[in-house]
Amino acid sequence: MLALVCLFSLIMALMLVPGVTAAELRIGAPELPRSPDPHFGLNWGDRLYYDQVYEGLVETDGHTKVLPALAESWERTEAGWLFRLRKDVRFQDGRALTTRDVVFSLCRARNLPGAPRTFAKTLGNVEMLTAVEPHQLLVRLLDGDQRFPLAVATIPIVAAPAGALWRFASPACEGTGHLDSAAFADPALRAGTGPFKVVDFTPDRIVLAPNPYHGDHGQAWRQVELLRLTESGLIRGVLDRTLDIVYAPPAAAMEFVDSRGGVNVHLMPSTAITYLQFNWRSSSPSPLQDMKVREAIRLALPRDVLSRRFMPGLVTPTGQVALPGAPDRSPAIPDDEYDPAAARRLLAAAGYPNGISIRMLAGPSQYKVAKILALFLTQAGIATDVREETAEQVVARRRAGDYDLYCMGRIYSAADMPDTFHALLGGAGAGMAPGERNYGGYNDLTFDRLVADARAANADRPRNQLLRKAAERAYADVAWIPVFHTKSAWIAQSRVRMQPRLDRSLRLTDIDLVETAGQLAR
C-alpha cells in the first residue's frame, strides 16, 4: 500500500512541459540490450534495438504474415530452399550485400560463444548453406520442414569482416574472421541493412539515425532515442511529454495516465504467453513425476480470476498456446479449470494427503506473476517457494535443472506453430533435437511425431489438425501449464500514430506523426 501511495504522489507531483521536436522520437522501455551485438540476446528488449538496425532474409508483418526482406523471393526445390537476395541492398557503410554476409551471419548466430541465448536451436535443422552465386543461397535441411523461411525471419544479417570466409555445415561451422561480441563496441562494425543506423550505444541509451542507403529513409524521424527507465521514470516521461512512446508500460499506472488525456493507450492481443514448465530431468524421485500431482497444480490455478482481478484487461486466460479463433486451436482444451478441492483430492490420491512443497524459478519479468501463482498453489496444499534470478542467471538455472517448476514467458510465432510446439516441448524423438525452450526436458515420442508431421505438412488443413492433436496430447499428459496470453501495451502521445503488432515488436517505420489542420502535431 505504501508503494502505491508513493507512486501516486510521484505522479501527482509531475508537471507537463513542452514536448520534444517533431523530427525526434524518444521511446522509453524497462529493458534494453546489454550488448550492441545483434546475435547476443533474443528477448524483446534486444529486438527493440536490432529490429531497427538489422534485417533478416525475410520478415513478418503485424499479423505474422511472411514478407520479403533481404531475400526478394524463395522457393523449395529438390535440393533445398533457394533464397534469392535483393541486388539493391547496401549496408550502412555503403557495401553491397552478398551471400558471404548471410553465411557469415548464420554461422555466427549459431555458434556465438558467451551469449545467454543463441540461435543454435533455430538453425539446428540446417545441414548446409551453399552460395549458388553472389545473390543466391541454397539451404539444405535435415528434414522436410515446410515452414523454414519463418525460422530465419528474426536472425539479423551483419556485414562479414574483410577476408572472413565461413563454411556452414552441421553440426558446426568452419572458417576465419570471427567477430566476438566485444568487437561491436567499434561503431564501424555495427553496419546493418535496416532503416536506422546506430549513432551511440550504451546499456541505458541508444541513439539511432536514418540509414541513407535504406529505401525507407525518407521518414519523419531524424533521430530516435531508446531509453532504459524505471517504472517511475516511464510514467514521468509520459506525463511531462519527454517520451513519445512507452513500450511495456507499468500496468498499475496505465489507467491513471490514460485519464490525464493527451495520450493514446494501445492494447491488442499478442502471441506472448506465460506458462509453467515442469522439471522432468530430476534424477531423484519427485512428486511432479506423478500425473495426478501435475493435474492438481493445474486445478489449483484460477486463470480466470487472475485475468479479471489481478490484471484486468491486460491478459486473457488460456489452456493452450494458440490464440482464440486460430485454426490450430483445439476446442477440447478448457481455458480455466479452477477447483482447489479437486486438487487436494488428487494430491491425496497420489499419496500426499498433507500436501507437498516445491520450488519455483522465475526471472524478473515473471516474478510478480509467479508470486501470485504460488499463493494459490499454497492454498491448495502445494507449498511453493518462489526464487527470482536475473535475466542472465535464470537461463543457467533452467539449464541446470535444479528447480521443480519454472514460470516462463515466450513470444511465439503464430505463423509457425510447429516450431513453437517444438521449441516449448519438443524432445529428441522423430529425428529432431530437443526444443530450445524445453528446459524441463519433457520427452514424448507421440508428441514429437505429431509436431514433425505438422512441420512436413504442405497444406494448412492437415497441419492444423496435427497441431490440435499435439496440443491435446500435451494437455492430457499435463506436459506444461499455460496460464494466460498477455496483451501488447503501449502508451503514445497523441501526436504520434503507431500500429501495434501481434508479435509485440515495435518497428520505427510503423510510427509517424499525426497531421492536424495541415500541420504536424507537436
Side-chain angles (χ1 to χ4, degrees):
M1 180 60 71
L2 178 60
L4 291 176
V5 171
C6 293
L7 179 61
F8 183 77
S9 299
L10 168 66
I11 293 172
M12 294 304 295
L14 298 173
M15 301 297 293
L16 296 178
V17 299
V20 295
T21 60
E24 296 180 358
L25 185 71
R26 303 184 85 221
I27 300 174
E31 292 185 35
L32 286 180
R34 294 187 296 111
S35 169
D37 181 352
H39 297 146
F40 189 78
L42 298 176
N43 64 32
W44 61 262
D46 297 299
R47 290 199 60 185
L48 180 60
Y49 153 67
Y50 71 65
D51 276 346
Q52 326 309 331
V53 180
Y54 299 91
E55 296 173 298
L57 288 176
V58 302
E59 64 177 354
T60 56
D61 66 7
H63 299 280
T64 69
K65 178 183 178 182
V66 184
L67 301 172
L70 297 181
E72 62 183 5
S73 65
W74 54 91
E75 64 178 311
R76 186 176 179 86
T77 68
E78 291 185 1
W81 284 94
L82 181 65
F83 289 85
R84 296 180 179 87
L85 304 185
R86 290 165 46 203
K87 297 180 180 179
D88 61 343
V89 176
R90 292 187 177 275
F91 289 97
Q92 291 147 8
D93 59 5
R95 190 166 55 78
L97 169 77
T98 69
T99 52
R100 187 174 75 94
D101 303 298
V102 178
V103 173
F104 171 79
S105 297
L106 297 186
C107 277
R108 186 175 187 277
R110 176 168 159 169
N111 298 285
L112 182 64
R117 293 178 184 145
T118 70
F119 294 90
K121 294 295 177 62
T122 305
L123 295 167
N125 192 32
V126 178
E127 180 181 16
M128 182 68 73
L129 299 180
T130 304
V132 179
E133 59 176 69
H135 291 91
Q136 288 193 19
L137 183 72
L138 182 66
V139 181
R140 191 167 72 220
L141 303 181
L142 295 170
D143 67 14
D145 185 4
Q146 296 286 338
R147 312 290 287 176
F148 173 74
L150 279 163
V152 293
T154 59
I155 301 180
I157 302 302
V158 304
L165 188 63
W166 282 78
R167 177 178 178 270
F168 190 107
S170 180
C173 292
E174 301 172 351
T176 58
H178 177 75
L179 288 178
D180 61 20
S181 291
F184 280 80
D186 182 356
L189 295 178
R190 299 176 191 160
T193 61
F196 287 84
K197 62 181 181 180
V198 181
V199 176
D200 189 29
F201 185 102
T202 70
D204 295 318
R205 179 176 178 266
I206 301 172
V207 181
L208 307 175
N211 171 17
Y213 293 102
H214 195 274
D216 253 338
H217 65 272
Q219 52 189 304
W221 315 116
R222 70 164 177 261
Q223 178 175 292
V224 177
E225 287 184 77
L226 307 178
L227 302 167
R228 184 204 304 269
L229 297 169
T230 62
E231 289 190 356
S232 60
L234 294 172
I235 299 167
R236 181 186 298 111
V238 171
L239 295 180
D240 67 13
R241 297 185 184 176
T242 56
L243 290 178
D244 289 288
I245 294 173
V246 170
Y247 186 70
M254 287 179 62
E255 184 176 354
F256 175 80
V257 171
D258 190 27
S259 70
R260 296 296 298 269
V263 298
N264 294 316
V265 175
H266 298 272
L267 283 173
M268 71 171 292
S270 81
T271 56
I273 187 170
T274 295
Y275 58 95
L276 298 179
Q277 189 177 88
F278 300 101
N279 180 9
W280 297 78
R281 297 183 294 159
S282 176
S283 57
S284 58
S286 166
L288 302 185
Q289 294 169 356
D290 191 322
M291 191 170 71
K292 295 186 184 71
V293 174
R294 300 197 302 273
E295 189 172 358
I297 293 175
R298 184 165 67 193
L299 293 176
L301 299 177
R303 301 185 186 104
D304 188 56
V305 173
L306 288 169
S307 174
R308 290 185 291 105
R309 293 178 54 188
F310 292 94
M311 289 167 281
L314 299 178
V315 301
T316 54
T318 188
Q320 58 188 302
V321 67
L323 286 167
D328 47 17
R329 182 179 173 88
S330 171
I333 300 176
D335 287 329
D336 187 61
E337 304 168 88
Y338 183 47
D339 193 339
R344 287 185 176 275
R345 290 194 296 271
L346 282 168
L347 289 175
Y352 305 100
N354 298 320
I356 61 172
S357 297
I358 61 174
R359 297 178 305 154
M360 183 191 299
L361 175 67
S365 57
Q366 279 84 39
Y367 180 67
K368 292 180 181 178
V369 171
K371 292 290 286 185
I372 297 173
L373 297 179
L375 174 65
F376 286 99
L377 289 173
T378 300
Q379 290 176 347
I382 306 163
T384 305
D385 178 24
V386 180
R387 300 295 177 90
E388 180 185 14
E389 300 281 3
T390 66
E392 292 76 23
Q393 292 170 333
V394 75
V395 176
R397 301 303 292 268
R398 288 171 184 159
R399 289 172 177 164
D402 57 355
Y403 278 79
D404 303 304
L405 204 59
Y406 306 115
C407 184
M408 301 172 64
R410 175 175 170 82
I411 302 173
Y412 64 90
S413 171
D416 192 9
M417 289 294 282
D419 179 73
T420 296
F421 274 69
H422 176 247
L424 293 171
L425 296 170
M432 296 188 293
E436 61 180 307
R437 293 296 184 95
N438 185 9
Y439 295 108
Y442 179 70
N443 197 347
D444 178 69
L445 182 59
T446 300
F447 177 87
D448 290 342
R449 284 173 174 167
L450 288 167
V451 173
D453 289 346
R455 286 166 64 101
N458 55 14
D460 289 341
R461 185 172 181 179
R463 180 184 303 111
N464 292 334
Q465 290 175 339
L466 289 163
L467 290 171
R468 287 193 290 269
K469 289 181 180 179
E472 291 161 7
R473 175 72 180 184
Y475 172 79
D477 200 22
V478 199
W480 70 322
I481 301 178
V483 181
F484 53 71
H485 289 109
T486 304
K487 293 184 179 179
S488 298
W490 296 269
I491 298 175
Q493 300 292 342
S494 57
R495 78 187 191 104
V496 176
R497 179 171 51 214
M498 60 180 295
Q499 180 60 51
R501 295 167 57 95
L502 193 63
D503 63 3
R504 301 190 79 189
S505 66
L506 189 65
R507 306 296 176 92
L508 297 179
T509 50
D510 292 338
I511 305 170
D512 56 15
L513 292 167
V514 176
E515 295 188 10
T516 304
Q519 296 183 343
L520 291 178
R522 298 178 185 271

